[in-house]
Amino acid sequence: MTTETASSNPLAPAPPGFPACAQVDLGAISANVAALRRHAPTAELMAVVKADAYGHGLVPSARAALRGGATWLGVAQLTEALELRRAGVQAPLLSWLHVPGQEFVPALEQDVQLGVSTTWALDQVVAAARTTGRTGRIHLKVDTGLGRNGAWDADLADILERCAALQSEELVEVVGIFSHFAYADAPEHPTVRAQQERFEGIVEQAGRAGVRPPVRHLANSAATLTNPSAHYDLVRPGVAVYGLSPVPDLGSPEHFGLREAMRLLSHLSSVKDCPAGQGISYGHVYTTHEQTRLGLVPMGYSDGVPRNATNVGPVLVGDRRHTVAGRVCMDQFVLDLGPDSTARAGDEVVLFGVGAAGEPTAQDWAVAVDTINYEIVTRVGAKVPRVHLDEVPS
Ligand SMILES: *Cc1c(COP(=O)(O)O)cnc(C)c1O
């Protein structure tokens, strides 16, 4: 039954041995990058593939992004950059979130560029440059008002002064200077203009200190799509690469020429008759109101289905939308399929996808559980197999 259901699916079947999978349409990732390039035609494009490519699978997603026209890849953690190099990815790579004591020698050896926002990070780049005999290529991360990662004030002045000296010794090359918005998803917010002005002021300050990085970058997905004045030399979209709208109130993915790349699906593990008045799942927070049929879905919060999808998470079974009935458990949840349901064990259950066949989208899940679409895709559990469609041979 499972095989029969899966093989009638136009996309790939679920892999055997695990009842759920996240299908990732790599063609969509390539097409989304191409669309983003059209939104920012004068800038280079760094596809952000941190967090396992927002849950879509690091290496295949990175390759798909490059195929779509990305000229750079960006990650938060150095381990992710090194994994891309081990897989043979040769594109320019930037990693930007580090801790003191972290070893930068492999970064320099593998030509991974490093985001530097602190004096200790600069010291460590210099140490790695001396060890390897290579120039450390860095992007200065400046805080223009996000109030998060990035240098400002005296630290910034200190870093700029030292970079000027280190550049002449060829220990460091300042390739880029970058910052991040606090309100990119609200393009009219006054902080957006203020951060851009601050950024431009810091670029001038750097120039006066003798540091003239050729690659200035500030725009995430939202600014790439809605704020051309923030594109500068390179844009850094993440969530939009995966076909999700960074500004759902301003436009759907289609509105921006994007398509959701991830489809999360499972199969009914059992279907049974149930009388009216039966409490469902832990704590009986749902009670059947009529004689009905219950479907059991073998996915739970350990697979990334939010526990607070209890009684609100939307799913598609066949051509019918249902809502999670009762508590989401660690590895399962229940659906009240209704008295006339013809669903059978093994039938496909789609948690989210592009929405074209009536299935919910990641954005629908975000609304249902009061979070953002970013969290819905990145939280899909590591044990849920990623099935990549349209994979480019390496
Ligand atoms: C995550 C991240 C991005 C990408 O953000 P999206 O909103 O997903 O486009 C860009 N730049 C930095 C510094 C980030 O941390």
Side-chain angles (χ1 to χ4, degrees):
M1 182 68 197
T2 301
T3 317
E4 185 195 308
T5 306
S7 59
S8 63
N9 167 2
L11 299 173
F18 199 85
C21 78
Q23 292 173 340
V24 177
D25 178 354
L26 296 173
I29 291 179
S30 301
N32 292 335
V33 169
L36 288 159
R37 289 217 68 161
R38 290 192 291 274
H39 283 278
T42 60
E44 291 200 51
L45 187 143
M46 175 186 289
V48 177
V49 293
K50 64 189 179 188
D52 197 29
Y54 289 50
H56 292 65
L58 177 63
V59 173
S61 301
R63 286 208 182 101
L66 293 170
R67 182 175 49 159
T71 47
W72 289 72
L73 297 170
V75 292
Q77 305 291 346
L78 182 52
T79 50
E80 300 173 300
L82 296 174
E83 188 179 335
L84 287 165
R85 285 287 184 254
R86 275 196 301 279
V89 172
Q90 288 170 356
L93 267 176
L94 176 65
S95 150
W96 59 69
L97 193 59
H98 312 108
V99 291
Q102 206 172 343
E103 185 55 79
F104 286 160
V105 164
L108 270 62
E109 285 174 347
Q110 297 298 320
D111 199 15
V112 174
Q113 304 188 24
L114 297 165
V116 167
S117 57
T118 60
T119 49
W120 63 256
L122 188 57
D123 291 339
Q124 285 178 211
V125 172
V126 171
R130 293 193 198 282
T131 306
T132 57
R134 291 166 182 248
T135 302
R137 301 216 281 170
I138 66 172
H139 295 231
L140 297 178
K141 177 124 202 225
V142 297
D143 194 329
T144 52
L146 172 57
R148 198 180 68 176
N149 182 23
W152 58 20
D153 301 336
D155 281 343
L156 176 61
D158 185 27
I159 290 171
L160 288 173
E161 190 181 319
R162 290 183 53 206
C163 281
L166 292 164
Q167 289 209 124
S168 54
E169 291 177 71
E170 294 187 1
L171 287 166
V172 159
E173 178 190 346
V174 186
V175 175
I177 185 161
F178 72 120
S179 191
H180 199 43
F181 282 119
Y183 278 97
D185 54 346
E188 304 300 323
H189 197 276
T191 58
V192 172
R193 192 63 240 155
Q195 282 194 258
Q196 278 179 247
E197 280 165 12
R198 187 106 192 263
F199 185 65
E200 288 165 21
I202 291 171
V203 169
E204 280 170 26
Q205 179 190 355
R208 286 192 300 274
V211 178
R212 291 181 187 83
V215 190
R216 298 159 301 160
H217 47 115
L218 183 53
N220 62 355
S221 296
T224 302
L225 294 172
T226 67
N227 183 0
S229 70
H231 291 173
Y232 300 102
D233 304 303
L234 174 146
V235 293
R236 281 192 323 266
V239 82
V241 167
Y242 310 99
L244 301 177
S245 174
V247 283
D249 296 339
L250 301 182
S252 63
E254 305 88 285
H255 171 81
F256 295 114
L258 306 170
R259 185 165 95 236
E260 292 92 336
M262 187 188 288
R263 183 167 183 265
L264 184 64
L265 59 100
S266 187
H267 296 269
L268 288 175
S269 155
S270 73
V271 176
K272 66 185 181 191
D273 289 320
C274 177
Q278 172 65 50
I280 299 299
S281 189
Y282 293 137
H284 284 179
V285 298
Y286 178 87
T287 304
T288 55
H289 41 83
E290 60 187 337
Q291 151 84 34
T292 188
R293 287 173 69 72
L294 299 179
L296 183 66
V297 182
M299 281 193 100
Y301 58 78
S302 68
D303 303 295
V305 179
R307 187 168 176 274
N308 55 2
T310 294
N311 286 342
V312 295
V315 301
L316 183 75
V317 180
D319 55 6
R320 275 206 204 175
R321 287 279 281 262
H322 299 282
T323 302
V324 172
R327 285 260 163 80
V328 173
C329 309
M330 189 182 292
D331 31 43
Q332 50 195 302
F333 65 84
V334 177
L335 297 172
D336 181 344
L337 298 168
D340 58 345
S341 173
T342 56
R344 291 183 298 166
D347 282 2
E348 192 173 84
V349 179
V350 183
L351 284 83
F352 58 81
V354 296
E359 73 275 39
T361 61
Q363 178 58 26
D364 294 331
W365 272 82
V367 169
V369 306
D370 191 21
T371 184
I372 53 175
N373 51 24
Y374 294 68
E375 190 183 3
I376 298 299
V377 290
T378 54
R379 65 178 296 147
V380 173
K383 69 185 156 84
V384 176
R386 271 53 173 186
V387 176
H388 290 103
L389 312 176
D390 198 12
E391 190 144 22
V392 210
S394 57

